Amino acid sequence: MSQTTPASAPIPAPAPVHWKLVVDCVNPQSQADFWAAALHYTIEDNDALIQRLLGFGALPREATVEFHGRLAFRDLLGVRHPEDPYDADSGTGLGRRLLFQRVAEEKTAKNRLHLDLHPGDGLREAEVERLTGLGASVLREVKEPSGAWVVMADPEGNEFCVH
């Protein structure tokens, strides 16, 4: 089925799709701390939204935790790029973000999706050292004709690469 418009009316391009990467984890707060530090991102502050939801009776207090002196959702916590827009009423990022979601089971198999970090030319070794200091571990170093990188795991075992 083709779309017809008057000759003078251009067909508008579809808007880009907003997305976030959701990471299943056992402890969203510790994962948010690690990844915010690893990526130099900002942890989302949902305190104002949570206070409103508690005030309306729409959220039970046990669905929240105190985190860095503010209320956070017990089972969800996001980190966002510090330069991207965010909703001031909810604290939710509107750009590049990771959302950590509590699940009951621990990670048991290889990731099907992972992050590649690119700290810049000549900075890989220092970045691996910095990330190890934050709680990551080195799984292996890879050297192939296509390049070299280090495969690491975050504190819950999720793999990522440093190029």
Side-chain angles (χ1 to χ4, degrees):
M1 177 182 207
S2 65
Q3 181 178 3
T4 59
T5 61
S8 61
I11 298 173
V17 174
H18 179 74
W19 62 272
K20 64 184 167 288
L21 179 62
V22 178
V23 180
D24 289 349
C25 61
V26 174
N27 187 326
Q29 291 72 32
S30 66
Q31 286 293 90
D33 272 340
F34 173 80
W35 283 104
L39 299 173
H40 305 287
Y41 271 35
T42 299
I43 295 174
E44 293 179 347
D45 181 358
N46 304 123
D47 184 78
L49 172 62
I50 291 169
Q51 296 289 355
R52 282 194 308 276
L53 293 172
L54 288 170
F56 295 143
L59 182 71
R61 179 67 172 93
E62 53 274 4
T64 69
V65 294
E66 188 168 318
F67 181 66
H68 298 304
R70 314 274 291 165
L71 287 180
F73 291 106
R74 178 185 176 275
D75 295 332
L76 295 169
L77 189 57
V79 300
R80 63 177 177 79
H81 191 286
E83 296 174 4
D84 285 354
Y86 67 96
D87 181 332
D89 288 334
S90 69
T92 301
L94 301 173
R96 295 163 281 186
R97 66 191 290 252
L98 301 173
L99 180 67
F100 300 97
Q101 171 180 272
R102 184 182 309 278
V103 295
E105 67 279 357
E106 293 186 12
K107 181 183 168 300
T108 59
K110 183 183 182 307
N111 296 8
R112 295 293 303 247
L113 181 73
H114 68 269
L115 297 178
D116 279 357
L117 307 185
H118 298 270
D121 288 340
L123 300 175
R124 181 174 53 237
E125 186 176 320
E127 185 68 358
V128 167
E129 186 175 322
R130 184 182 78 83
L131 294 166
T132 302
L134 293 173
S137 57
V138 173
L139 299 179
R140 67 186 172 282
E141 293 187 23
V142 178
K143 290 186 173 105
E144 295 184 354
S146 61
W149 60 92
V150 177
V151 179
M152 300 187 75
D154 72 15
E156 289 198 7
N158 299 302
E159 294 97 353
F160 63 98
C161 298
V162 181
H163 289 262

